[in-house]
Amino acid sequence: MQLTYIYHDCFVLETSQAVVIFDYWRDPAGTERGRLPRFFDSLPDGIPVYVMVSHHHKDHYTRDIFEWTHLRSDIHYILSRDTAKSARPYITPDSHYAGHKVGAEQVTVLSPGESVTLPSLTVHAYGSTDIGNSWVVESDGLSVMHAGDLNAWIWKDESTEEEVNKALADYRAVLDVIAAEWPRLDVCMFPVDSRIGTDYWTGAAMLVRAIDVAHFFPMHFELGETRADVAQRHQDAADFRAYANRERGEYIFLESGGRFWS
């Protein structure tokens, strides 16, 4: 397995059987109009490519992903239902959109609680504490979670105690479902975003105590008003002392373009 961090919530997972691209928004390495993002240059030929979108927020999704089939025919899209609704002009054959459209056979839409088995992988959709889905993907004997925007969005510094408790209860309800089905995960990509303020790491801390995660990767730490803000987000996400389960698991912080092999 190889996992490459692209930006914000976007990772590229490579197994011996599949390539999975999670929540592509932009590539800091640059993307030329009419070309695939540069990380495609290092992807193997002859292995199917799956592009997954957890939800349609602009920091998780761009409609540019549907142009990629111009240049590579072996791409299949796995979308949350809200993303499919937003992307309807590009994935519906009889839409009025005059540009490039993706064939219906290249798109799978999942809601929380649904699963699909495709060549080289199985995808399970779970709920979120925002919109859309969180995911667990099985490929080549690996179990891999991408949380999308599932998190304990508690915002303690600006919320009432009642609001904080509700946010925690909403998160726990989704986490309990996932943990019941996946007591162990090989990989988990999860938001650790210090914009939340006090106890920003709560969601991550709860997850790694509910689930035995072999390799944990923080994400969702690229947004800030200034470069200094972003640098602080990086530093906070990489402060594993705040949330790591010391009894198990490895915690890895990747910069854009960074890779992990296992």
Side-chain angles (χ1 to χ4, degrees), residues 3 18 24 42 75 87-89 104 132 140 144 156 186 189 214-216 241 244 262:
L3 189 69
Y24 176 82
S42 62
I75 294 177
R88 188 174 297 154
D140 201 18
V144 177
K156 278 189 173 181
D186 293 296
M189 295 156 275
H215 305 292
F216 181 96
R241 298 169 301 174
S262 177

Side-chain angles (χ1 to χ4, degrees), residues 30-44:
T31 305
E32 297 179 27
R33 190 71 179 172
R35 291 199 57 185
L36 292 168
R38 293 185 182 177
F39 61 79
F40 270 89
D41 293 344
S42 62
L43 297 183

